[in-house]
Each structure stands twice: as structure tokens, then as C-alpha cells.
Amino acid sequence: MIIRKAYKFRLKTTPDINAKMAQYAGNCRFLWNKALAINLFKLQNKQKICYYQELDFFSKLWKKSEEYGFLTLSPAQTIQQTG
């Protein structure tokens, strides 16, 4: 007989930490959607898609740019793993 159990966990965070986590998630979602748009555009034009190394390179450039400077608010690891 197999017994299956589930556990629910909830983090007890402060409003400041909640805001930071929301910022990190938003930045990751932004990068994911931007990478997806780039790859879809390349596929429509019969080009090779961008892989991890290329997207990681672009994410570093975007962090340094003025337009996407808000990405510096997130840790580098979350940005890097999104690409």
C-alpha cells in the first residue's frame, strides 16, 4: 500500500522581502519573455535560435544599458538562470 503525503510551507516574510521577491520574479519574467520574443523572431526568419551562452551575454548587456537598468536590482544568479 502506497501512502502519499503532501506538505504545505509558507515563508514568513516582511513586506520589504515580499517586494524584493516580486521584483526578482518580475525581472525574470521580463527576461524570459524577451528571450522568447527574440527566438520566435529568429524562427520566423529561418535563423538559428539563441542558446544559453548567447542569451546570458545579452542579459549582461541589458543590465548595463540605460533602458533595462532595472535588471540590476535582481541578483545575477536569477538573471543568469532565466536566460
Side-chain angles (χ1 to χ4, degrees):
M1 181 160 124
I2 298 175
I3 298 174
R4 296 180 188 211
K5 293 183 180 183
Y7 298 96
K8 283 188 178 183
F9 294 96
R10 184 176 176 94
L11 298 175
K12 293 182 180 178
T13 59
T14 63
D16 183 43
I17 292 175
N18 285 339
K20 285 182 181 180
M21 288 172 39
Q23 177 73 41
Y24 300 164
N27 288 348
C28 290
R29 184 173 51 245
F30 170 79
L31 275 177
W32 178 266
N33 289 335
K34 187 144 182 76
L36 179 64
I38 289 170
N39 280 333
L40 287 176
F41 178 78
K42 285 188 165 205
L43 282 174
Q44 288 173 349
N45 292 317
K46 308 247 188 287
Q47 298 174 357
K48 290 184 178 181
I49 62 172
C50 296
Y51 288 104
Y52 173 80
Q53 290 82 9
E54 192 174 353
L55 290 172
D56 183 44
F57 172 77
F58 281 126
S59 69
K60 289 176 186 173
L61 285 179
W62 293 331
K63 278 179 77 167
K64 293 177 185 176
S65 73
E66 228 177 86
E67 186 177 2
Y68 303 120
F70 61 89
L71 294 173
T72 58
L73 300 174
S74 292
Q77 293 83 2
T78 59
I79 300 294
Q80 185 180 22
Q81 291 300 315
T82 302

